[in-house]
Amino acid sequence: MATKNIEIVVAPKTPHFVGDGFRVHNFIPSGYHLDMERMSPFIMMDYNSKYHFAPSEIPRGVGVHPHRGFETVTIAYKGKVAHHDSSGNSGVIGEGDVQWMTAASGVLHKEYHEKEFSKTGGEFQMVQLWVNLPAKDKMSQPKYQGITNDQIEKYILPDNAGLVEVIAGEYENVKGAASTFTPVHLQNAKLNKGGKVGFSFPAVYNTALLVIQGSIKVNGTEEIPTDHFVLFENEGEDFSIEALENDTIVLILSGAPINEPIAAHGPFVMNTREEIIQAFEDVNMGRFGYLED
């Protein structure tokens, strides 16, 4: 199989706050060739790099907001997030956990620092990824997958290299915990210094990685520091990473592109402008349900 080479390495942009609880670097969509079409099915990535929040009696976060047409995937590395939606789902995303919410036909949603974490403060680190849905599934019933870390299957690498957590998709016949509408691979490589791991995805899949902690060498040549994003070319299948530090964590994402028109406006991602207008009308008419702020 041919090597999958790096197309671009993207440094984190200046962070901005989403609400008052999430200090994020936006990678997708952005001007570094990382638009929604190029990165499909991944249409948004906000990365809250490691950041210390002071204690607060009032939990920081984001108030009630709608979503339609896609899924939100929240991966917690440090800190805890509480969430509620208008379908009646609620819970806490703890360190190592994943929340996979299928907004589909529409939900109201809010998320904020978990109450006890907010009172003590501390280090906070999260990724939120939006995964697009094909047209036939955009108006399907909302659903929710709350995946605790002990439910995520792990592949233990040889030679004490570390492990791969399989959130979605598959790695070496280990199946991911999340169900997906289209082929999506989402994995955390947690590596010891000198630990090496290889990945293989179809050439046509859009494939990238984000260095969450530590630093790595890709394909034995290019060194990538913490908080940097790597986009691979759509040629070749195989690539390797090697940890240059202990406790290195790398998020790997690869998925089959959804080759359909994208119409996006704020919290709605549909296929046509008319569907976006309909989404605004449905929210205003209360068709997304009710959620107290």
Side-chain angles (χ1 to χ4, degrees):
M1 301 289 268
T3 298
K4 186 181 283 291
N5 293 313
I6 292 174
E7 182 173 322
I8 51 170
V9 177
V10 181
K13 293 194 292 186
T14 303
H16 66 276
F17 270 86
V18 176
D20 62 359
F22 304 95
R23 176 187 174 272
V24 302
H25 310 276
N26 174 258
F27 284 108
I28 306 170
S30 69
Y32 301 102
H33 310 291
L34 303 180
D35 57 77
M36 291 183 176
E37 287 79 5
R38 171 65 181 89
M39 297 308 300
S40 176
F42 310 108
I43 50 176
M44 198 282 292
M45 177 188 271
D46 274 347
Y47 170 47
N48 191 129
S49 61
K50 205 174 287 183
Y51 183 77
H52 189 277
F53 281 95
S56 174
E57 286 297 316
I58 300 172
R60 301 176 176 90
V62 181
V64 176
H65 55 282
H67 291 301
R68 173 178 279 180
F70 57 94
E71 303 181 285
T72 68
V73 182
T74 304
I75 308 169
Y77 295 97
K78 297 281 185 185
K80 293 182 177 181
V81 172
H83 65 92
H84 294 272
D85 70 39
S86 55
S87 293
N89 297 306
S90 64
V92 173
I93 313 164
E95 292 187 10
D97 298 346
V98 176
Q99 180 215 46
W100 197 297
M101 185 182 78
T102 305
S105 61
V107 294
L108 302 177
H109 189 236
K110 62 179 179 179
E111 51 211 321
Y112 43 88
H113 295 183
E114 185 268 335
K115 188 163 61 174
E116 294 307 314
F117 171 79
S118 186
K119 286 179 179 176
T120 60
E123 280 197 333
F124 192 83
Q125 188 177 24
M126 303 256 165
V127 166
Q128 184 164 101
L129 190 65
W130 291 6
V131 180
N132 202 9
L133 291 171
K136 67 182 180 62
D137 298 312
K138 282 187 177 293
M139 294 299 288
S140 59
Q141 193 71 18
K143 68 172 186 172
Y144 167 79
Q145 301 173 75
I147 305 168
T148 56
N149 191 260
D150 61 0
Q151 295 172 317
I152 299 173
E153 296 291 336
K154 285 96 173 164
Y155 179 85
I156 307 301
L157 297 165
D159 304 321
N160 196 36
L163 58 84
V164 176
E165 293 180 342
V166 188
I167 299 167
E170 188 175 332
Y171 184 82
E172 297 290 351
N173 297 316
V174 174
K175 306 280 192 204
S179 66
T180 65
F181 287 79
T182 59
V184 171
H185 296 274
L186 196 59
Q187 301 161 4
N188 279 315
K190 297 186 172 181
L191 304 174
N192 299 314
K193 185 176 181 179
K196 296 179 182 177
V197 59
F199 294 88
S200 184
F201 302 109
V204 296
Y205 280 26
N206 291 324
T207 301
L209 62 79
L210 176 64
V211 182
I212 301 291
Q213 186 169 291
S215 57
I216 61 171
K217 185 179 286 186
V218 175
N219 292 333
T221 56
E222 190 153 0
E223 294 188 9
I224 313 296
T226 306
D227 299 340
H228 281 56
F229 182 93
V230 172
L231 174 65
F232 290 93
E233 294 178 351
N234 289 108
E235 296 178 8
E237 295 83 19
D238 300 347
F239 66 93
S240 65
I241 60 177
E242 176 187 351
L244 302 178
E245 305 172 45
N246 277 324
D247 302 317
T248 289
I249 302 174
V250 184
L251 177 64
I252 313 291
L253 49 152
S254 184
I258 300 170
N259 294 314
E260 297 175 349
I262 296 175
H265 194 290
F268 308 129
V269 182
M270 303 299 289
N271 299 102
T272 67
R273 182 173 177 272
E274 289 71 26
E275 290 170 331
I276 295 291
I277 294 168
Q278 184 66 53
F280 276 102
E281 182 178 317
D282 289 348
V283 168
N284 293 335
M285 295 298 289
R287 295 179 186 132
F288 279 44
Y290 175 77
L291 185 63
E292 189 174 338
D293 210 337

